[in-house]
Each structure stands twice: as structure tokens, then as C-alpha cells.
Amino acid sequence: MKDDVIIPISMDWSKEEIIDVVNFYEGVDKAYKKGIDRELMLVLYHHFKKVVRSKGEEKGYFKDYEEQTDQSPYHVMKLAREAKDQKVIKM
């Protein structure tokens, strides 16, 4: 992840919720850089979705992150869901 990335978060979230969201984005970054265990990525997304429930809000956060990093959380999750025969996903 670039050093100057501002992870899209809400100040209304608890410390634990912020940690879950940051962990998800770190998983996305890992998928781009060296690969990540598919099941772990699905778990990270599940925790992310407990915090960011609305699809519209998710799209906004994903867009903000992608504009800063050129990494697509959407495409990482699409691959994680579809690549059932792969243990590790890498973008």
C-alpha cells in the first residue's frame, strides 16, 4: 500500500470497526502485491460488511480507495468468490 493512502473510514465507527475495515483494505493490498489466502479474504470481507452494510456506501469507499491506490477491492472480492478452486488469490 502506498504510504500516503488515506483509508476511507467513518469517525462514527468504533475502534474495532475501524480495525476490521483497515484489515480488509490491507488484505486487498496483499492480494495485489503477493497474494492472499482466498478464505482469509472472504473472512476479512465478512467483517468489513458488518461495518459497511449498504452497497452504496461500500461502492463509495471502494471508489475512494481505488482512486488512491489503483487497486480494486471489487475485483479482489469478485476473484475471491469465483476462484473456488484456488487457495491463494493474486491480482
Side-chain angles (χ1 to χ4, degrees):
M1 197 177 310
K2 296 178 186 175
D3 291 335
D4 57 345
V5 173
I6 299 169
I7 300 288
I9 60 170
S10 169
M11 298 319 289
D12 295 332
W13 296 340
S14 71
K15 180 180 175 182
E16 292 78 19
E17 290 172 327
I18 291 170
I19 290 169
D20 285 341
V21 170
V22 169
N23 286 341
F24 169 74
Y25 286 114
E26 286 178 346
V28 171
D29 186 57
K30 203 175 203 181
Y32 272 86
K33 290 189 175 162
K34 59 182 177 182
I36 187 168
D37 181 84
R38 178 184 167 272
E39 290 297 322
L40 174 58
M41 195 67 230
L42 292 171
V43 168
L44 292 173
Y45 181 69
H46 176 72
H47 289 286
F48 173 85
K49 285 306 290 178
K50 286 183 177 180
V51 179
V52 181
R53 295 179 184 206
S54 113
K55 264 300 190 201
E57 192 178 11
E58 176 183 300
K59 285 180 183 181
Y61 287 128
F62 280 11
K63 180 180 178 192
D64 185 23
Y65 180 82
E66 186 171 357
E67 286 173 353
Q68 294 184 67
T69 62
D70 293 327
Q71 298 175 346
S72 171
Y74 170 80
H75 286 105
V76 169
M77 291 316 303
K78 185 173 192 264
L79 179 60
R81 285 190 199 100
E82 293 174 354
K84 294 181 168 109
D85 60 331
Q86 294 179 333
K87 177 142 177 70
V88 175
I89 57 169
K90 183 160 181 8
M91 299 302 289

